[in-house]
C-alpha cells in the first residue's frame, strides 16, 4: 500500500464503521422498528451523521487527498478509493456541519411521515416535509456551486451524484429517443391489451406461501442466505454492509402474485452485484457498484431480461403451480408468460410492465428538472404529476398513494436518482444482448443453472466495484460503450413477437 494512503486508511475505516451504523438504522427503520421509534432514532442518526461528516471533512483528510492526487504510483484500487473519497469531500465540505446534521435528521424522520401520508392518501401531510427537504437541497447546491467545485447546473449536480457523465444534455437526448421510438409501440400494444387475460394474478395468494416460494426464487438466482437475508418493507430495497452481509426486502400483496415475485428477482440482481464484489475491495469506498445505472442494470437484467423470459420459468413454473394449485390450476406456462409480459399503461412505477416502465421514469425526471431548474411550487406537484401521466401513459391517478406519494425516494432526499432506473434498464438490454452471444444463456436458464451466468457477470462486471466506470466495464466486456439502441431493439423485437398472433 502507498505510504500516504496508509495514513488515510484509519479515516476511511472510521468512516466505514459510522456509515455501517447508519445503514443498520436505515434497515431497521424500514423493516423492524416500531412506529413510534422514528423521532428518537432520528436524533441518533443526526449525531452519527455529524461524526461521519467530521471524519471525512477535516484538515488531515484534506491534506492527504491533496498529496494522493499528486502521487503517480497508486494502484487501481487506491485510485478508485481516492476518486470516491475526493468526490465525497467536494460535495460535503461546502456544507456547514450543523446544517448537514439537521438535514440528516430530517431525512431520517421523513420516510415515516411519507408512509403515514401514503396510508392516509393525503399529500398535504407530507408536503411541508418535502418542501423542507427540497429547500435544504437547493441550499446545499448553492454552497457546492459557490465553492467552485463544479460548473454544473443545479440539477446536473444532483444527477452527477448518482450517474457520473450523464447530465441533462445526455439524458434529454436519451429520453427523447425513448419517446420517439417507444410511444408509438406502446400505443399499438395497448390497443391489444384486452387480448391477454391475467385475472389469475389477482386471486387470493396466501402471503405465507408467497414468502416460502420467494425465498426459493432468491436462492434459485444465486442469493446466498449465509451472506444475506430477506425481509419485508413498504418499498422493496437492497442494502449491504459488505459482500458477506447483503440484505434485501420485498412487499407481499395477497391479491397480486407477480408483485413480490419480480421484486424478489429485482432485488436479488442488486444483491448478486454486492455479493460478488472482490474481497480486497469490499468495506472500502470502492467496494460497491460502480454507479446507480450499472446497479440497476443488474437488477433489471435479472428481473426483466431473465425473469420475464420463457426459459427462466421452465424449471420453476411447475413448483409455482404446486405452491398455488387452486389459483393456477388452469394456467399453463405459455399463458403465464403472456401474462407476466402483458403491457398496459398503469399508474404505479414498481408494478409497471417492461414496455412502459421508462415512461414512469421520464415523468419523474421532468418533474425533478422543474423542481431544481424552474422552482416549481411543491403544492402543485400532484396536479403536474397527474397531467404528465395523462399525457404520456393515458392514465390519471385518483388518489395520492397511486400518484405523487407512491415512491419513497424524495422522502430520503434522493433527487437525481430516478434517471438511473431508465439508464439501468437500457444497460441491462445491452448486457443481455452480449450474454446471448457469449454463453448458451437460454440453455442455462432452462436448466435452472445460474452458476455460470453469475460467474460470467462476476468476472466481467461485479468484482471490479468502482475500479472501473460503467462505460469502461461495457467497453472491456463487449467493445462498446453505453448504447440505448439495444434497449429499443430488444423491446421492439420482444413485443412484436409476443403480440404477433393476438
Amino acid at each position: 500500500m502507498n505510504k500516504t494512503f496508509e495514513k488515510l486508511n484509519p479515516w476511511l475505516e472510521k468512516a466505514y464503521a459510522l456509515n455501517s451504523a447508519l445503514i443498520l438504522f436505515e434497515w431497521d427503520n424500514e423493516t423492524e422498528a416500531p412506529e413510534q421509534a422514528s423521532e428518537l432514532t432520528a436524533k441518533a442518526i443526526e449525531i452519527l451523521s455529524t461524526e461521519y461528516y467530521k471524519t471525512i471533512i477535516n484538515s488531515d483528510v484534506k491534506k492527504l487527498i491533496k498529496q494522493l492526487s499528486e502521487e503517480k504510483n497508486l494502484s487501481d484500487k487506491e485510485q478508485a478509493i481516492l476518486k470516491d473519497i475526493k468526490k465525497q469531500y467536494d460535495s460535503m465540505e461546502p456544507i456547514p456541519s450543523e446544517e448537514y446534521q439537521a438535514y440528516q435528521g430530517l431525512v431520517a424522520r421523513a420516510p415515516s411521515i411519507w408512509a403515514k401520508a401514503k396510508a392516509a392518501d393525503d399529500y398535504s401531510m407530507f408536503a411541508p416535509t418535502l418542501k423542507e427537504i427540497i429547500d435544504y437541497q437547493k441550499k446545499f447546491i448553492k454552497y457546492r456551486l459557490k465553492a467552485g467545485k463544479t460548473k454544473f447546473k443545479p440539477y446536473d449536480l444532483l444527477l452527477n451524484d448518482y450517474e457520473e457523465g450523464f447530465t441533462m444534455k445526455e439524458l434529454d437526448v436519451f429520453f427523447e429517443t425513448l419517446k420517439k421510438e417507444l410511444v408509438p409501440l406502446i400505443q399499438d400494444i395497448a390497443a391489444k391489451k384486452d387480448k391477454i387475460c391475467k385475472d389469475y394474478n389477482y386471486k387470493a395468494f396466501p402471503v405465507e406461501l408467497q414468502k416460502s416460494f420467494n425465498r426459493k426464487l432468491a436462492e434459485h438466482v444465486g442469493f446466498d442466505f449465509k451472506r444475506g437475508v430477506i425481509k419485508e418493507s413498504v418499498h422493496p430495497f437492497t442494502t449491504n454492509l459488505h459482500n458477506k452481509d447483503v440484505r434485501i426486502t420485498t412487499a407481499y400483496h395477497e391479491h397480486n402474485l407477480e408483485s413480490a415475485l419480480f421484486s424478489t428477482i429485482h432485488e436479488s440482481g442488486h444483491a448478486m452485484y454486492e455479493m460478488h464484489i472482490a474481497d480486497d475491495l469490499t468495506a472500502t469506498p470502492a467496494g460497491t457498484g460502480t454507479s446507480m445505472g450499472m446497479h440497476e442494470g443488474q437488477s433489471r437484467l435479472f428481473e426483466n431480461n431473465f425473469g420475464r423470459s420463457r426459459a427462466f420459468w421452465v424449471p420453476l413454473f411447475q413448483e409455482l403451480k404446486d405452491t398455488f394449485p387452486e389459483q393456477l390450476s388452469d394456467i399453463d406456462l405459455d399463458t403465464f408468460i403472456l401474462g407476466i409480459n402483458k403491457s398496459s399503461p398503469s399508474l404505479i412505477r414498481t408494478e409497471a410492465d417492461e414496455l412502459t416502465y421508462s415512461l414512469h421514469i421520464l415523468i419523474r425526471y421532468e418533474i425533478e428538472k422543474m423542481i431544481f431548474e424552474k422552482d416549481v411550487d411543491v403544492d402543485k406537484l400532484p396536479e403536474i404529476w397527474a397531467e404528465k401521466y395523462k399525457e404520456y401513459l393515458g392514465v390519471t391517478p385518483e388518489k395520492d398513494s397511486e400518484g405523487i406519494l407512491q415512491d419513497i425516494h424524495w422522502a430520503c432526499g434522493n433527487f437525481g436518482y430516478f434517471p438511473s432506473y431508465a439508464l439501468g434498464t437500457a444497460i441491462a438490454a445491452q448486457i443481455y444482448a452480449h450474454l446471448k452471444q457469449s454463453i448458451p444463456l437460454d440453455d442455462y436458464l432452462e436448466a435452472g443453472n445460474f452458476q455460470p451466468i453469475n460467474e460470467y457477470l462476476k468476472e466481467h462486471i461485479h468484482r471490479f466495484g468502482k475500479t472501473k466506470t460503467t462505460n469502461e466495464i461495457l467497453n472491456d466486456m463487449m467493445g462498446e460503450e453505453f448504447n440505448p439502441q439495444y434497449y429499443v431493439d430488444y423491446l421492439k423485437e420482444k413485443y412484436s413477437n409476443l403480440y404477433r398472433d393476438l
Side-chain angles (χ1 to χ4, degrees), residues 287-327:
T288 188
T290 189
S291 72
M292 289 312 306
M294 182 56 81
H295 230 307
E296 287 300 322
Q298 303 313 291
S299 61
R300 302 298 278 182
L301 176 68
F302 274 68
E303 176 192 357
N304 288 334
N305 306 96
F306 297 162
R308 296 185 191 276
S309 70
R310 190 181 193 282
F312 179 88
W313 286 99
V314 166
L316 290 168
F317 185 64
Q318 188 57 51
E319 185 170 2
L320 182 65
K321 288 192 68 169
D322 292 343
T323 305
F324 303 105
E326 294 181 13
Q327 298 89 335

Side-chain angles (χ1 to χ4, degrees), residues 209-225 230 248 250 252 257-269 272 302-303 306-307 312-313 315-317 319-320 323 336 448 450 454:
L209 291 177
Q210 288 193 56
K211 289 180 181 179
S212 175
F213 185 83
N214 273 266
R215 182 181 175 89
K216 294 176 183 177
L217 188 58
E219 287 179 319
H220 179 81
V221 301
F223 189 88
D224 183 355
F225 279 94
I230 180 169
I248 68 174
T250 193
Y252 299 97
L257 174 64
E258 284 182 20
S259 181
L261 293 179
F262 288 98
S263 288
T264 298
I265 300 171
H266 178 99
E267 301 305 336
S268 294
M272 290 298 97
F302 274 68
E303 176 192 357
F306 297 162
F312 179 88
W313 286 99
L316 290 168
F317 185 64
E319 185 170 2
L320 182 65
T323 305
F336 180 74
F450 261 81
N454 282 324

Side-chain angles (χ1 to χ4, degrees), residues 79-346:
Q79 288 175 10
I81 291 173
L82 175 62
K83 179 182 177 182
D84 186 81
I85 201 67
K86 187 176 187 304
K87 185 176 181 180
Q88 283 191 59
Y89 187 93
D90 288 347
S91 68
M92 293 168 62
E93 192 273 337
I95 302 170
S97 61
E98 64 276 9
E99 293 185 21
Y100 181 85
Q101 179 179 353
Y103 176 74
Q104 294 301 322
L106 173 63
V107 294
R109 293 187 297 271
S112 65
I113 299 171
W114 163 81
K116 291 175 183 176
K118 182 178 181 180
D121 267 316
D122 188 354
Y123 175 69
S124 67
M125 292 172 59
F126 179 59
T129 302
L130 181 58
K131 288 179 185 177
E132 195 174 355
I133 292 172
I134 291 171
D135 286 344
Y136 266 110
Q137 287 272 9
K138 289 179 176 179
K139 188 188 301 185
F140 292 170
I141 288 170
K142 288 180 181 178
Y143 290 152
R144 294 170 67 182
L145 293 176
K146 186 177 181 180
K149 303 298 184 183
T150 176
K151 296 180 180 178
F152 287 129
K153 293 179 180 178
Y155 186 49
D156 282 340
L157 189 62
L158 298 179
L159 293 171
N160 188 67
D161 288 341
Y162 294 100
E163 201 62 43
E164 193 170 338
F166 288 87
T167 65
M168 287 182 284
K169 179 181 178 181
E170 288 79 19
L171 288 172
D172 285 347
V173 173
F174 172 60
F175 282 115
E176 282 299 320
T177 298
L178 297 189
K179 281 196 285 186
K180 177 183 176 182
E181 297 279 0
L182 298 184
V183 169
L185 178 60
I186 289 170
Q187 293 172 344
D188 181 49
I189 296 299
K192 302 177 181 179
K193 66 180 186 296
D194 292 337
K195 295 186 178 182
I196 294 178
C197 178
K198 57 186 293 183
D199 291 346
Y200 65 86
N201 186 62
Y202 307 107
K203 294 180 179 180
F205 293 88
V207 168
E208 289 305 314
L209 291 177
Q210 288 193 56
K211 289 180 181 179
S212 175
F213 185 83
N214 273 266
R215 182 181 175 89
K216 294 176 183 177
L217 188 58
E219 287 179 319
H220 179 81
V221 301
F223 189 88
D224 183 355
F225 279 94
K226 292 180 180 179
R227 296 188 292 156
V229 297
I230 180 169
K231 293 283 188 177
E232 292 178 65
S233 66
V234 174
H235 198 296
F237 69 99
T238 298
T239 194
N240 68 292
L241 301 180
H242 43 70
N243 65 4
K244 295 176 178 61
D245 189 344
V246 182
R247 307 175 183 207
I248 68 174
T249 72
T250 193
Y252 299 97
H253 303 281
E254 183 180 1
H255 294 280
N256 187 343
L257 174 64
E258 284 182 20
S259 181
L261 293 179
F262 288 98
S263 288
T264 298
I265 300 171
H266 178 99
E267 301 305 336
S268 294
H270 280 305
M272 290 298 97
Y273 199 165
E274 294 297 338
M275 285 181 174
H276 290 159
I277 297 290
D279 286 341
D280 66 334
L281 288 177
T282 197
T284 76
T288 188
T290 189
S291 72
M292 289 312 306
M294 182 56 81
H295 230 307
E296 287 300 322
Q298 303 313 291
S299 61
R300 302 298 278 182
L301 176 68
F302 274 68
E303 176 192 357
N304 288 334
N305 306 96
F306 297 162
R308 296 185 191 276
S309 70
R310 190 181 193 282
F312 179 88
W313 286 99
V314 166
L316 290 168
F317 185 64
Q318 188 57 51
E319 185 170 2
L320 182 65
K321 288 192 68 169
D322 292 343
T323 305
F324 303 105
E326 294 181 13
Q327 298 89 335
L328 300 177
S329 60
D330 298 329
I331 307 303
D332 61 22
L333 178 57
D334 290 331
T335 300
F336 180 74
I337 296 304
L338 278 175
I340 63 176
N341 287 290
K342 179 177 180 177
S343 178
S344 179
S346 60

Side-chain angles (χ1 to χ4, degrees), residues 369-401:
K369 281 204 300 182
M370 294 172 71
I371 291 172
F372 291 99
E373 296 295 322
K374 296 182 179 180
D375 292 321
V376 68
D377 185 346
V378 174
D379 289 329
K380 293 183 179 178
L381 291 184
E383 178 184 340
I384 294 169
W385 184 287
E387 290 172 352
K388 288 188 176 292
Y389 262 81
K390 184 176 182 179
E391 176 186 357
Y392 291 129
L393 289 166
V395 293
T396 304
E398 295 182 358
K399 51 188 180 179
D400 290 338
S401 61

Side-chain angles (χ1 to χ4, degrees), residues 27-61:
W27 167 262
D28 188 65
N29 280 343
E30 297 298 325
T31 59
E32 302 286 357
E35 182 180 341
Q36 295 185 14
S38 60
E39 190 65 34
L40 290 174
T41 298
K43 185 62 179 177
I45 291 173
E46 285 185 40
I47 294 170
L48 286 169
S49 297
T50 300
E51 288 303 306
Y52 181 83
Y53 177 96
K54 292 177 180 177
T55 303
I56 300 295
I57 308 303
N58 62 70
S59 58
D60 288 341
V61 171

